[in-house]
Structures are given as structure tokens and as C-alpha cells.
Amino acid sequence: MIFKRLAIGWPSLLSLLLVLAGGGITAGCATYTETSRSLQERLVAGEPEQALQILEKRVGGREDRVLYLLNKGMLLRLAGDFAASNQVLEEAKELIDRLVVISISEQTAALSVNDAKRSYIGDPYERILLHLYKTLNYLALADYVAARVEILQADLALGQLSEQERKLGAEGIMRYLSGLVFEQTGERSDALIAYRKAFAAYHSTGGAAAVPRSLQLDLLRLARRQGLDDEVRRYRDLFGVESLPDDRTRQGRGEVTVILGTGLAPVRQEQSINVLAGSNARWYRVATPFYPPRRAAPEVEIRVVANDEEVMAVLGEDLDNLARRALEAAMPGITGRALARLVVKGSAIREVEKNDQLLGIMANIAAVASERADTRSWVTLPARLHFARLYLPPGRYEIRVEWLGSGGRVLMSRVYQGVEVQPEGVVYIQDHWIGPWAVERG
């Protein structure tokens, strides 16, 4: 029988299901979506420290450790503690490395109870964004050597993903950030390689239109600098660029790179089908996760202004869309495991009924109660990430960032005083505006 092949007999399975139905994992899974909303509500209110307190009260079990660390790392970052954020994210990364090979016991639990019994290691995009945010934290700390090391580790992590996983792995924005760091350290050949890989990643998911405009110009600029005329012509034709960017306009200037998040990642919810069927009138339940439709939020553009110079930020990654695509890609496996659990639990219930009809009813109730969707995800991420780059003469600047709604109406603005720009230097400004519409209701 199936449950015997899974190395779990019906008495053990029945006991496990009864315990779970009595309030163990059922309660945890039922409230995870609510925990996510609570965290996001505190972030909308501008209270990352309070969100951290909520998280600490709801740590969860061993299987949730990675997710707890990911959310804690992001909350510490939002609170401005970049060093502590990186310590926590490094712990998450090391734990993921150990958990990539799922244990037989966890596979058994997933096929006999529910998917939330498996240790959370994140979707491919979450595992790559872990490297991206560690890099951004190092840049905020002006530790450029450590930032370079982190992007090399991200390159290794991307190399371990399958082609399909890389399309869902936030590769474009990670490669683009890698190029920025390589340029800052004077490694222009490596920067060009990183920009090419970023171009390929964006292009593979949406064609030339998906390639951020600033990346297009960076590719043209560095290819021209390297004397790669054929490559320059190919990019000009592909991007429709008439005038080439000139490195000479940047000589003696410094760079201000602005990296901005908007909104919050979507929260997974549960959907289920419950059916009463069979001669013994058994209940059957299949539960799967889903994302509700996108939040009703205004279309936002971002303008960065310094004195008389201004630039519009480009979309680096739509993480909301990436999360939805990742779940869609995972749904065949999720559904397959849910159907397999129907067979496993049904087999156990039939064995119980042979010995005790009342106990069989209890087993059926326990089996239904323990069937819950895995609604875990990294909910403290932004919905979208944007980039902007300004090249300014040396001096001190007031940098203004404006989030614009329809008709150019300013929805939100923030001013960064005393930004010191050095010749050939790079200054990073990082921020995250969530907006009042960012939390799912109901």
C-alpha cells in the first residue's frame, strides 16, 4: 500500500493526523496569511520595529526557520540596521544551502499531512534576491569589497539553477546590479559581461521592450568604449538608439545611483475543494495556494531631481509579477502532491475503518482538517524595484525623489540632504515607499 511504501503505518499516520487536527499545524497554516497581513500593515504604517515584534512572537517551527530569517533580515534593513540585516540573511543563506536536498522524512510528511511540513527554502527568485539585498546592504555600509564578493556568490547561485528556474530567478536585476558594482570597482570588462547577461535575462522574458532603458545605454556605452563596433550596431538597431552615450560626458563627474522599492509583495492565500463522496460518505479536501488579483494601486513613475538635472527611474524588476509566475510554475507539483495525499490519507482511513468504524470517522475528520495549503512566502519584499543613475559634477547636493501618479501628480516625495559627490565616485541612495494601498484586505 502507498502509506507502507512511504514507511509510515496507519496507526502512526492516524496519531499524527489527530494531533495536527487538534490544533498543531492546522492553526499555524490557518493564520500564516493573517501573520503576513499583520506584518504588512505595520510596514504601511511606517513601523518596521513593530513588525519585527510581531514576527518574533510568531517564529514558527523548524520548517519555517528560513522564512523567519528572510523576513527578519528585510525588517532590519527597513529599520536601517544594514549590518544586522546581513547577519540574519547570511544565516538564511547558509541554512538554505543545507536544506536544498530535502530529507526523506520531510517528503513523507508532505505526502501524508501537507506541504507546510517541508522546510521552506524559498522560490528561485527569493533565493537570488537574498544575494541582491545582501549586496545592497553592503553598498549602504560602503563595504564595496564585500559587495563584490556577494555578487560573485550570486553568480554561483544562478549557475546552479535550471534554465526555467533562472527565468523565475530575478536574474535580470541581479546581473544589472553586478554590472554596477563591477563598474564602480573599475572592472569594466566584467561590468560589460554582467550587463550582457542582464540583457539576455530581461530579453528572454519579455523581448527588447523588457530591457530597462538605462541598461540599454550602459551596454552601448561600454561596448563603444571597448571598441566593439559590431556589438554597438546590433544594440543600436535593437533598441532604436540614434545618439550614442559618450563616456566623456562623465569624466570628472560622480555618480548617484538610486535604488527604490515600491509597494509590498503579494500575500498567498488558500483555496480549497471539499467533497462528500463514496459509499461510506467520506469527506475529501484538496487545498492549494493562490495569489488574489493585483492590488488596486496607481501606476507610479519615479523622478529623481538634483539641482537642474533630473532623470526618470526605470523598472528593474516587477517582483509582484515574478511571485505570481513562480507560483504558477510550481502549481503542477503542488497539485500533484495534494492529489497524492488524498490517496495516502484515504488508504489510511480504510485501514482504520476495518478495525473501528468510529475511529475511521475520526481519521477522516483529521485528514480533512490537516489538509492545508502552504501559503508561506517572503512578504516583506517590495512589489517592484526601480533604478536611476545621475552623473553630477563634484559637490554637495539635495537629491529629491518623487513618486508620480497619473498626470504627473506627486504622490510622495523624499529629500536627501547633503549628498556628497566625489569625482569618479559613486553614492548610493536606497529607499522603499510602500504606499497606503499595499495591504490586502479581507
Side-chain angles (χ1 to χ4, degrees):
M1 293 183 181
I2 293 176
F3 60 86
K4 287 183 179 177
R5 288 201 298 270
L6 288 171
I8 183 168
W10 72 261
S12 300
L13 179 57
L14 173 61
S15 299
L16 177 60
L17 291 175
L18 288 172
V19 170
L20 297 176
I25 196 168
T26 302
C29 289
T31 60
Y32 188 78
T33 297
E34 292 306 318
T35 299
S36 299
R37 289 194 182 118
S38 296
L39 292 177
Q40 292 194 340
E41 285 170 355
R42 291 304 90 214
L43 291 178
V44 168
E47 300 172 344
E49 294 87 356
Q50 283 72 20
L52 189 57
Q53 292 176 14
I54 293 173
L55 182 67
E56 294 291 359
K57 292 177 182 178
R58 307 179 188 180
V59 172
R62 175 182 59 85
E63 63 275 4
D64 298 329
R65 181 68 181 174
V66 165
L67 187 58
Y68 159 75
L69 293 169
L70 292 175
N71 281 315
K72 182 177 181 178
M74 184 58 70
L75 292 175
L76 287 168
R77 171 182 162 81
L78 291 173
D81 195 341
F82 301 107
S85 173
N86 263 0
Q87 289 177 357
V88 172
L89 291 178
E90 179 63 25
E91 184 181 346
K93 184 172 67 175
E94 292 174 356
L95 184 54
I96 289 171
D97 289 341
R98 294 198 299 269
L99 291 172
V100 166
V101 178
I102 303 299
S103 70
I104 294 176
S105 62
E106 286 188 333
Q107 293 285 10
T108 300
L111 288 175
S112 58
V113 183
N114 62 51
D115 272 2
K117 290 297 294 178
R118 302 200 308 176
S119 290
Y120 191 84
I121 61 170
D123 285 317
Y125 78 94
E126 293 174 323
R127 300 198 296 272
I128 298 306
L129 287 175
L130 191 162
H131 290 282
L132 183 132
Y133 276 106
K134 282 201 66 186
T135 303
L136 291 178
N137 283 341
Y138 284 129
L139 293 176
L141 295 166
D143 190 344
Y144 306 119
V145 173
R148 185 184 182 281
V149 171
E150 194 63 42
I151 64 175
L152 294 177
Q153 293 182 5
D155 181 66
L156 291 175
L158 284 164
Q160 293 170 357
L161 299 179
S162 67
E163 182 178 352
Q164 180 60 29
E165 286 175 328
R166 286 171 64 178
K167 288 183 178 180
L168 301 170
E171 180 175 13
I173 193 167
M174 187 68 242
R175 298 292 193 189
Y176 192 13
L177 181 61
S178 299
L180 297 181
V181 173
F182 280 133
E183 272 210 86
Q184 182 177 358
T185 57
E187 300 167 274
R188 293 189 177 87
S189 294
D190 289 330
L192 180 56
I193 292 170
Y195 289 150
R196 286 170 181 156
K197 290 180 177 179
F199 160 76
Y202 284 119
H203 194 270
S204 69
T205 58
V211 182
R213 186 64 172 177
S214 59
L215 173 58
Q216 296 176 12
L217 298 177
D218 288 330
L219 277 167
L220 281 163
R221 177 175 50 79
L222 284 187
R224 183 185 188 187
R225 184 185 181 95
Q226 302 286 77
L228 304 174
D229 295 337
D230 290 341
E231 189 169 350
V232 170
R233 283 192 291 271
R234 181 165 63 87
Y235 289 141
R236 288 188 68 174
D237 292 341
L238 184 62
F239 301 142
V241 175
E242 294 184 4
S243 59
L244 291 174
D246 193 340
D247 257 357
R248 288 174 296 181
T249 62
R250 300 174 57 189
Q251 290 180 357
R253 294 192 167 210
E255 177 183 338
V256 177
T257 297
V258 185
I259 303 168
L260 304 165
T262 58
L264 286 169
V267 175
R268 288 186 182 184
Q269 299 182 21
E270 178 181 279
Q271 57 189 356
S272 63
I273 299 173
N274 300 278
V275 178
L276 182 64
S279 58
N280 291 333
R282 294 194 194 97
W283 279 102
Y284 296 90
R285 172 181 169 87
V286 173
T288 56
F290 78 102
Y291 284 117
R294 279 179 181 262
R295 304 177 178 95
E299 289 295 324
V300 175
E301 293 186 313
I302 301 175
R303 179 170 60 206
V304 181
V305 182
N307 291 358
D308 296 329
E309 300 195 43
E310 67 177 56
V311 64
M312 299 301 294
V314 298
L315 179 64
E317 193 68 72
D318 187 334
L319 301 182
D320 184 298
N321 181 57
L322 202 54
R324 295 171 191 276
R325 288 170 49 215
L327 180 57
E328 181 182 0
M331 280 306 296
I334 292 171
T335 305
R337 289 191 297 274
L339 295 176
R341 282 193 295 273
L342 278 182
V343 177
V344 172
K345 293 176 180 180
S347 298
I349 293 167
R350 284 192 295 273
E351 288 296 318
V352 173
E353 287 174 339
K354 292 177 183 179
N355 297 277
D356 188 318
Q357 192 67 31
L358 179 59
L359 204 55
I361 294 173
M362 293 175 62
N364 188 197
I365 295 172
V368 171
S370 65
E371 180 59 30
R372 306 303 302 239
D374 185 358
T375 59
R376 298 173 296 177
S377 64
W378 191 357
V379 296
T380 49
L381 287 170
R384 294 171 185 82
L385 275 172
H386 307 260
F387 277 87
R389 303 176 75 180
L390 279 168
Y391 302 100
L392 303 171
R396 292 176 66 85
Y397 291 86
E398 175 185 282
I399 307 293
R400 187 169 74 255
V401 178
E402 300 173 335
W403 283 263
L404 309 176
S406 60
R409 179 170 59 94
V410 177
L411 302 174
M412 171 68 179
S413 66
R414 285 181 176 156
V415 176
Y416 307 88
Q417 301 280 1
V419 177
E420 187 76 30
V421 177
Q422 301 288 345
E424 309 296 332
V426 180
V427 177
Y428 288 90
I429 293 175
Q430 303 183 41
D431 211 335
H432 183 178
W433 181 53
I434 294 172
W437 58 82
V439 178
E440 294 286 357
R441 306 290 179 183

